[in-house]
Amino acid sequence: KAGVTQTPRYLIKTRGQQVTLSCSPISGHRSVSWYQQTPGQGLQFLFEYFSETQRNKGNFPGRFSGRQFSNSRSEMNVSTLELGDSALYLCASSHRVVGANYGYTFGSGTRLTVV
Amino acid sequence: AQRVTQPEKLLSVFKGAPVELKCNYSYSGSPELFWYVQYSRQRLQLLLRHISRESIKGFTADLNKGETSFHLKKPFAQEEDSAMYYCALSAEIQGAQKLVFGQGTRLTINP
């Protein structure tokens, strides 16, 4: 089956602009999580969506937001971009049932460069 | 608070030597732990889960609740094992799951 698909693969934006990243999870996976990966901070949790509801949020400013659609596809938006937002943004989907965690499958990521 | 610590940012061993990547965690609940690997120019992928007690590519990891550790081990390292390794803890917070990662260890296997 198809893996987690993230689009676009690369983005270059200027400070102050906004950006929208997209993630299509594995078919049947209803949980989608977003992570920011940087050399200095490693993998930082942004948020998780399950059945169109944000269930968990990391310590990021309100400029970072997301949503999930009825087909489980998710989008992440960053407004008023700053240079420090340059990072690899990873999406992960998981098949979760109560009391069990089968792990997350990650996409290839979107590399965002803010200039 | 949930925390995962990988004390070694860099680890270098020779081919054929044993390798151990350390991981310690802090979590008040019942932990679910994972090791993820990221090979050069490839996506982050699940290596193994503590719950399945499996051996993948010769790697094993045992959960030690007394020492709150989940070290990754392989008896004989191979060059293709060179990669970035992340230990991760799945934590339940207010009914929602969150995967918390360590800072990662870059493993280099020298020929």
Side-chain angles (χ1 to χ4, degrees):
Chain A
K1 55 185 174 182
V4 178
T5 304
Q6 290 188 248
T7 56
R9 290 294 306 274
Y10 302 94
L11 266 177
I12 300 176
K13 292 284 187 179
T14 55
R15 279 181 296 175
Q17 285 188 308
Q18 76 164 19
V19 66
T20 298
L21 313 181
S22 180
C23 172
S24 293
I26 289 174
S27 178
H29 286 193
R30 294 164 63 192
S31 173
V32 174
S33 300
W34 288 88
Y35 290 82
Q36 182 194 66
Q37 186 177 27
T38 58
Q41 300 296 319
L43 284 149
Q44 301 286 312
F45 173 77
L46 279 155
F47 23 66
E48 181 193 15
Y49 287 88
F50 183 82
S51 294
E52 302 178 65
T53 302
Q54 186 182 91
R55 292 165 53 85
N56 218 336
K57 192 176 192 309
N59 296 324
F60 279 82
R63 300 185 295 108
F64 291 80
S65 62
R67 58 178 175 168
Q68 186 179 33
F69 302 95
S70 58
N71 62 357
S72 294
R73 190 178 71 85
S74 178
E75 286 183 349
M76 191 192 110
N77 185 278
V78 188
S79 62
T80 321
L81 284 165
E82 300 177 0
L83 294 179
D85 297 332
S86 295
L88 180 67
Y89 289 88
L90 295 173
C91 167
S93 76
S94 68
H95 172 59
R96 191 187 312 290
V97 296
V98 174
N101 188 330
Y102 295 94
Y104 293 67
T105 301
F106 282 83
S108 296
T110 295
R111 179 152 315 268
L112 172 65
T113 302
V114 182
V115 297
Chain B
Q2 318 79 30
R3 181 183 290 273
V4 177
T5 303
Q6 293 179 250
E8 304 138 328
K9 292 189 74 172
L10 302 169
L11 183 62
S12 181
V13 301
F14 286 101
K15 177 183 171 182
V19 61
E20 181 179 48
L21 290 86
K22 291 184 168 46
C23 171
N24 289 90
Y25 67 91
S26 172
Y27 181 53
S28 58
S30 183
E32 292 183 27
L33 288 147
F34 305 84
W35 276 98
Y36 281 83
V37 61
Q38 192 170 31
Y39 300 103
S40 179
R41 297 192 182 85
Q42 293 187 30
R43 65 180 66 191
L44 193 63
Q45 55 188 280
L46 179 65
L47 181 62
L48 52 80
R49 304 173 290 156
H50 94 269
I51 200 168
S52 56
R53 295 183 150 272
E54 57 205 341
S55 173
I56 303 292
K57 298 184 180 183
F59 284 98
T60 58
D62 289 319
L63 176 62
N64 185 322
K65 291 188 178 180
E67 296 183 358
T68 59
S69 68
F70 188 55
H71 303 328
L72 183 68
K73 300 177 184 179
K74 184 169 183 176
F76 307 103
Q78 299 173 311
E79 288 184 67
E80 54 265 34
D81 296 329
S82 294
M84 193 75 179
Y85 290 80
Y86 293 95
C87 182
L89 165 72
S90 180
E92 183 168 326
I93 303 161
Q94 296 178 330
Q97 293 282 346
K98 172 180 164 180
L99 198 61
V100 178
F101 285 90
Q103 287 289 84
T105 298
R106 182 168 298 282
L107 176 64
T108 302
I109 307 300
N110 299 305

